[in-house]
Amino acid sequence: DAGVIQSPRHEVTEMGQEVTLRCKPISGHNSLFWYRQTMMRGLELLIYFNNNVPIDDSGMPEDRFSAKMPNASFSTLKIQPSEPRDSAVYFCASSSHLLAKNIQYFGAGTRLSVL
Amino acid sequence: QQQVKQSPQSLIVQKGGISIINCAYENTAFDYFPWYQQFPGKGPALLIAIRPDVSEKKEGRFTISFNKSAKQFSLHIMDSQPGDSATYFCAASRGSSNYKLTFGKGTLLTVNP
């Protein structure tokens, strides 16, 4: 299995632009997570999907952030409009409730820089 | 509110030495305590995990020690190798919402050859 695949790996954009981050979870996994990692705040859970349905979005910082999971093999995290304080590494992770449900498998992340 | 406190922030160890990273938690409802390892440019990956019904779990050179009464757990890396150089995160989750991992801030481990 190729693991969790995220794209792009790096994104540089200007303040006010829309940014879309993409994630393909591991096939067969039914849970998907979006995290943000910064030096100051560490790893923060933004949103959690189970069977494509958003279960917990309490970590989404504000209305500028939105996430979708149209099917079991694809999810997006969108920031509109982007701001410099959104600069961080964004990770997607997936897990299976059928097998070792506590284990989350992370993608390599997208490093976002908002100028 | 930081529910999982991790120390030290950084650690330098000589090859062959023992690396020790500590974590303390506040929520007594936590019942799953994993450690994740992250190499530069990569996502975190599960290294080892423990539940509070045991006080120690060992996998190869990696051992978790768990002290329920003190609400503390630690990672010990025996015979540390340069390839162990990475950032280590402790985490915790609880009960029915065990999907929600609360992470510590991380420890950057450097093992010198």
Side-chain angles (χ1 to χ4, degrees):
Chain A
D1 197 317
V4 176
I5 299 173
Q6 292 186 245
S7 64
R9 290 296 314 275
H10 303 274
E11 177 78 36
V12 180
T13 190
E14 293 187 347
M15 182 174 63
Q17 296 298 305
E18 177 180 295
V19 175
T20 298
L21 311 181
R22 298 172 175 78
C23 175
K24 176 179 169 56
I26 293 173
S27 177
H29 282 190
N30 62 343
S31 295
L32 184 138
F33 311 82
W34 282 101
Y35 288 89
R36 179 172 65 179
Q37 185 177 41
T38 61
M39 289 295 293
M40 287 294 293
R41 301 175 68 90
L43 268 167
E44 302 174 280
L45 177 65
L46 300 178
I47 188 169
Y48 156 62
F49 290 88
N50 188 49
N51 293 326
N52 312 338
V53 176
I55 302 299
D56 183 349
D57 65 355
S58 59
M60 295 287 263
E62 48 197 274
D63 292 345
R64 297 184 298 106
F65 285 69
S66 62
K68 294 182 179 180
M69 192 164 187
N71 57 62
S73 59
F74 184 66
S75 177
T76 60
L77 178 68
K78 185 178 294 186
I79 308 172
Q80 166 63 20
S82 58
E83 297 183 2
R85 60 191 168 119
D86 301 330
S87 297
V89 180
Y90 291 82
F91 288 102
C92 175
S94 70
S95 70
S96 168
H97 278 193
L98 297 177
L99 303 168
K101 60 182 177 179
N102 296 109
I103 300 177
Q104 296 183 19
Y105 296 85
F106 284 74
T110 295
R111 182 174 296 276
L112 173 64
S113 297
V114 183
L115 306 177
Chain B
Q1 179 187 5
Q2 185 185 356
Q3 295 191 50
V4 179
K5 295 183 178 180
Q6 184 172 347
S7 63
Q9 280 189 314
S10 62
L11 180 62
I12 300 175
V13 175
Q14 291 300 117
K15 179 182 176 182
I18 302 174
S19 304
I20 302 175
I21 304 170
N22 301 297
C23 283
Y25 62 96
E26 301 168 0
N27 190 339
T28 55
F30 285 149
D31 62 0
Y32 175 69
F33 303 90
W35 285 88
Y36 277 76
Q37 179 188 54
Q38 183 180 25
F39 293 105
K42 305 291 187 182
L46 179 67
L47 182 64
I48 186 173
I50 197 169
R51 293 196 180 273
D53 53 344
V54 295
S55 60
E56 185 175 283
K57 183 173 182 179
K58 183 176 181 179
E59 291 184 2
R61 296 184 294 108
F62 301 90
T63 300
I64 299 179
S65 297
F66 184 81
N67 186 330
K68 188 174 182 179
S69 61
K71 294 188 288 185
Q72 296 176 346
F73 59 110
S74 59
L75 176 69
H76 296 235
I77 306 175
M78 310 300 289
D79 187 25
S80 299
Q81 300 296 311
D84 297 329
S85 297
T87 300
Y88 293 82
F89 295 92
C90 62
S93 66
R94 65 180 176 91
S96 60
S97 63
N98 60 11
Y99 64 85
K100 196 162 188 173
L101 289 172
T102 300
F103 284 90
K105 289 287 184 70
T107 296
L108 177 61
L109 172 65
T110 302
V111 182
N112 288 329

